[in-house]
Amino acid sequence: MKKNKLCRVIGLNAVCIFAAVAAFASEIDIKGRIIGESRQAIEFAHIVLQTSDSVFVSGTTTGKDGRFALPKVRTDDYRLVVSSIGYETQAIDLKGYSGNLQLNDIVLAESSVTLGDVTVTASASVTKPDRKVIFPTERIVRISTDGVDLLQQLMLPKITVNQMTNAITVPGGGEVQLRINGVKVEINEIKALRPADILRVEFHDNPGLRYGNAEVVLDYIVHRPQTGGSFGFDSRQGVNAMWGEHNVNAKMNHKKSEFSTGYHFGPRDFYEMWRDNEETFRFANGTTLHRIEQGTPDHVEVYMHHTHLTYSFQDVKQLFNASLCYNEENNKHWDYQGTLYNREIPSDKVAMIDRNPSFYQRPSVDFYYQRNMPKDQTLVFNMVGTLNRTDSRRIYQEKRGDRILTDVNNRIDGKKYSVIAEGVYEKKLGENRLGLGVRHDQSFSDNDYRNGRSHTTRMRQADTYLYAEWKGAIRKFDYTLGIALSRYDSHQEETDHTYEYYHLRPRISLQYHFPDESLVRLRANISTHSPSLANLGKVEMMIDSLQVQRGNPDLKPYRKYSVDLMYEVKKGLFYGNLWGAYEYAPQVIMEEKFWESGKIVQTWNNQRNWQYLTSILTLRIGPIKEIVQFAFSGGVNHFLSNGNTYAHRYTNWFCEAQVSAAYKKWKLMYMLKTNWNRFFGETMNGGENIQMVRLDYKHKNLSAGVGVFNPFIDNFKLDKENRNRFASYKRSTYIKESSRLFTVNVSYHFSFGRTYSASGKRLNNSDTDSGVMSTGK
């Protein structure tokens, strides 16, 4: 009996082993290389393996050398579909193969036809030395309503999408450049994108020297219609408060020409904004004044407008682009009111009002030309002209009864003209790439300050930047080496101050890919930061009865030394990213305060140094069953701010969480973000503590939904703190309407005509620095 049982066990094991061997033997590897007609390797080509009746089996993309691999594919008859931007799609039948398959080079012919309906779902992202190339899956495209919503669904590390403020940010407030096919654009143009038109998102988390001091670059690669065009609108409106985000856009194409236009309108009209403020003044005679500001609700009314008109001409060898843009922000009301009193003598009260209306205009014109030359060479020229117009006022009064104790009436009329010109040359050498570039920024400001007397400042500022960068790869090791030389000069007519500085800016990035789909990256660089024209003007403006603000024409540019280390791992549905960074800025421009003639003077100066350490852990899981996806990130910031007369330390813990669930045509999303605070100089600027819930229904090109911002809090606030030894404060600003704000949204996008893809504009510049001083609290 035992013998029979043993025989059955042996027989069962034999059957299992035979089945496993048979199953293993039925799996093959398919490999190949994709090249163009000139024998160059094609990177990011889409590889889709289908059954004979077009059912998706597997997919991937090609690497730098044009090679691809589809491992462990069960033996069957298949169709291999190969497509890439600017090339004809090719389908190859694979029949009768029983062993590993090494295909001959697959040559794609150049074409203006797009990828059509080919979708890659097996390889959602490809990591390169300077960027991640993310291919939105069918699920993300299906549930997303526009380009910003798609970005939020991707849940990329370091990226925060706030659809209430219409902003895409990174920790620390670094620059985020948004681009479409290489063209630098505003966020409203990203919102106008149809998710179905987005081929991929290139997430430059390690941008090169060509992008200046940008922390992150997000480049959307999209279809471009050859005939016909597209139209769309997106509207999100508050139900219980006047808050809105409204966009309309249109695009028409005819052969090699494209015309596009768009308009964005963002109204805000709140009646319950106030601030509470506690200030401590320490006088030279040893006495101390603790002044309390107890706020009462007042009015905020803001209208934001953005419009653009763009024409581009494109063929295989060249691209010309001309764009006219206009941005406007009309702050009709930004009003505070309340009561001021002495903490030691509460009965000593005065009434306070603080009105801050302002009007900003920024028209700009942009001309761009790109030439694609033989042997993988590209030449680019870009010129941008901008006018920043500022008209701001501040009325501040302290009254006891009908008697006005303090009366501040400041007005600033500012004009800043700037021209940015840039040229870039790039050459691809096998798997390596050489980049050379030069950029010159020239700006002129003409500002009138009126505060009982009139003062005019006229300043000139120039910044020239030359760079060379080499990107190379040795097997699984990628590296980038760069060097830049910047020249800065400024001149102020009133004081006859003239400065000229030269700085070297080296950069290095080292990245190694492990066999288990993980990687480690180390990078270091030196950046240069110039003083703002707003801080250079020798102008004095009154803040309140005890404080004035003054510019400093003696400010000098400073360097910032940065190093960071990142480890990333992907395992099936799991993604993890651990990132740490250290920044050191000697002779940094930071604030300072001092007593002078019975007043606290707030100004800026080159201080000893500023240091910053941070560590962030990001985890993402999903999508589970193509339904639910989770993301979490958390970390700590530590700041060391060492001025000429002060030294401060500050630590801040923070976290962010997102969950997205999609079923058929429905999508539910929840986001939580705690305060990400920043300490610079002597001031802590608190970040937002926000929550958002959204429920959307999407049918073809139409999407509708409801949402609520901060559903579980009844008092949204922003904190700010200053630690100066002479005049410190702790301030909280409240906006009642930002809590439990219910919204409804509807969007509709459609396109018509055939589409094709080709190289897009690779660089674009803009000037958003108004060049004027702010005097508000």
Side-chain angles (χ1 to χ4, degrees), residues 368-388:
Y368 175 95
Y369 180 75
Q370 176 179 317
R371 184 75 177 183
N372 300 321
M373 299 179 293
K375 299 182 180 180
D376 291 318
Q377 299 178 97
T378 305
L379 196 60
V380 176
F381 297 99
N382 184 215
M383 181 170 290
V384 181
T386 306
L387 167 63
N388 282 281

Side-chain angles (χ1 to χ4, degrees), residues 274-514:
W274 72 95
R275 74 181 179 211
D276 292 334
N277 189 21
E278 180 178 350
E279 298 175 292
T280 302
F281 298 94
R282 298 172 179 84
F283 298 91
N285 61 7
T287 61
T288 300
L289 169 65
H290 297 282
R291 188 166 66 174
I292 308 297
E293 175 186 333
Q294 185 175 343
T296 56
D298 214 322
H299 192 193
V300 175
E301 186 178 8
V302 180
Y303 300 99
M304 294 170 286
H305 305 268
H306 167 80
T307 185
H308 76 276
L309 180 64
T310 302
Y311 168 77
S312 67
F313 174 88
Q314 179 176 298
D315 58 24
V316 177
K317 294 184 178 180
Q318 59 188 345
L319 167 66
F320 171 75
N321 190 94
S323 182
L324 180 64
C325 297
Y326 176 78
N327 286 276
E328 178 185 299
E329 183 174 324
N330 186 2
N331 297 304
K332 298 185 70 173
H333 290 277
W334 198 277
D335 303 338
Y336 297 99
Q337 65 177 339
T339 302
L340 292 178
Y341 63 90
N342 187 336
R343 191 174 68 182
E344 281 72 29
I345 312 175
S347 60
D348 183 14
K349 296 181 179 181
V350 298
M352 179 276 302
I353 63 169
D354 193 352
R355 309 282 189 248
N356 298 270
S358 59
F359 184 69
Y360 301 96
Q361 294 174 300
R362 184 165 57 89
S364 63
V365 60
D366 180 340
F367 296 101
Y368 175 95
Y369 180 75
Q370 176 179 317
R371 184 75 177 183
N372 300 321
M373 299 179 293
K375 299 182 180 180
D376 291 318
Q377 299 178 97
T378 305
L379 196 60
V380 176
F381 297 99
N382 184 215
M383 181 170 290
V384 181
T386 306
L387 167 63
N388 282 281
R389 178 70 184 269
T390 302
D391 182 2
S392 67
R393 298 189 62 185
R394 180 167 184 259
I395 299 173
Y396 177 86
Q397 290 182 345
E398 298 174 10
K399 299 172 64 177
R400 180 176 283 115
D402 294 331
R403 181 186 174 192
I404 298 178
L405 305 178
T406 303
D407 190 7
V408 177
N409 192 340
N410 295 334
R411 182 160 187 174
I412 304 174
D413 290 323
K415 301 184 189 71
K416 179 188 173 189
Y417 310 87
S418 69
V419 176
I420 303 174
E422 185 170 10
V424 174
Y425 169 80
E426 291 186 347
K427 165 68 175 174
K428 189 174 181 181
L429 301 166
E431 296 186 0
N432 305 318
R433 185 179 295 274
L434 172 67
L436 303 171
V438 58
R439 167 175 164 151
H440 181 76
D441 298 10
Q442 185 73 53
S443 58
F444 306 87
S445 70
D446 187 353
N447 301 326
D448 290 326
Y449 296 86
R450 291 190 288 272
N451 56 348
R453 61 182 185 275
S454 181
H455 188 92
T456 300
T457 64
R458 293 181 174 85
M459 291 179 284
R460 181 200 71 223
Q461 191 176 54
D463 201 341
T464 305
Y465 175 72
L466 298 92
Y467 78 87
E469 192 168 56
W470 176 265
K471 297 179 182 179
I474 304 174
R475 295 182 180 177
K476 295 183 178 297
F477 177 74
D478 299 314
Y479 64 93
T480 301
L481 304 174
I483 187 70
L485 174 65
S486 61
R487 173 187 176 272
Y488 167 83
D489 75 81
S490 67
H491 176 74
Q492 185 171 170
E493 290 186 8
E494 294 73 35
T495 60
D496 201 31
H497 280 75
T498 299
Y499 302 100
E500 184 178 28
Y501 301 96
Y502 291 86
H503 287 152
L504 279 176
R505 299 172 53 179
R507 179 186 183 88
I508 183 171
S509 176
L510 308 174
Q511 183 167 285
Y512 182 78
H513 298 258
F514 296 100

Side-chain angles (χ1 to χ4, degrees), residues 9 16 34 36 92 176 189 234 240 248 284 317 356 365-366 374-375 385 412 453 456 526 590 690 777:
V9 172
C16 293
I34 311 302
I92 303 170
V176 178
E189 295 168 69
D234 176 271
N240 52 329
V248 61
K317 294 184 178 180
N356 298 270
V365 60
D366 180 340
K375 299 182 180 180
I412 304 174
R453 61 182 185 275
T456 300
I526 302 175
M590 297 191 299
I690 59 175
K777 283 194 175 183

Side-chain angles (χ1 to χ4, degrees), residues 87-192:
Y87 295 92
E88 293 279 1
T89 298
Q90 189 173 152
I92 303 170
D93 290 328
L94 304 177
K95 297 181 179 180
Y97 293 97
S98 58
N100 291 338
L101 183 57
Q102 176 65 54
L103 300 174
N104 294 328
D105 288 347
I106 301 173
V107 182
L108 299 186
E110 291 186 359
S111 171
S112 60
V113 179
T114 63
L115 304 180
D117 296 326
V118 175
T119 303
V120 174
T121 61
S123 180
S125 66
V126 178
T127 301
K128 299 298 176 182
D130 60 341
R131 65 194 187 279
K132 293 179 175 64
V133 183
I134 298 99
F135 300 93
T137 63
E138 185 276 335
R139 170 188 174 271
I140 289 180
V141 171
R142 172 171 50 84
I143 65 177
S144 300
T145 56
D146 54 51
V148 174
D149 190 37
L150 181 139
L151 181 66
Q152 191 160 45
Q153 294 299 320
L154 290 175
M155 299 183 181
L156 300 177
K158 294 176 62 177
I159 297 294
T160 297
V161 179
N162 187 333
Q163 296 193 21
M164 182 177 183
T165 59
N166 204 25
I168 299 173
T169 58
V170 294
E175 180 188 0
V176 178
Q177 289 188 14
L178 302 174
R179 297 170 180 261
I180 298 176
N181 288 342
V183 182
K184 191 175 180 182
V185 297
E186 304 281 350
I187 189 172
N188 306 302
E189 295 168 69
I190 301 296
K191 288 186 68 68

Side-chain angles (χ1 to χ4, degrees), residues 695-718:
L695 177 65
D696 291 291
Y697 177 82
K698 185 178 180 182
H699 178 69
K700 296 183 179 179
N701 296 324
L702 178 66
S703 175
V706 295
V708 57
F709 291 103
N710 297 317
F712 306 117
I713 61 174
D714 60 2
N715 213 354
F716 173 83
K717 71 172 182 175
L718 291 174

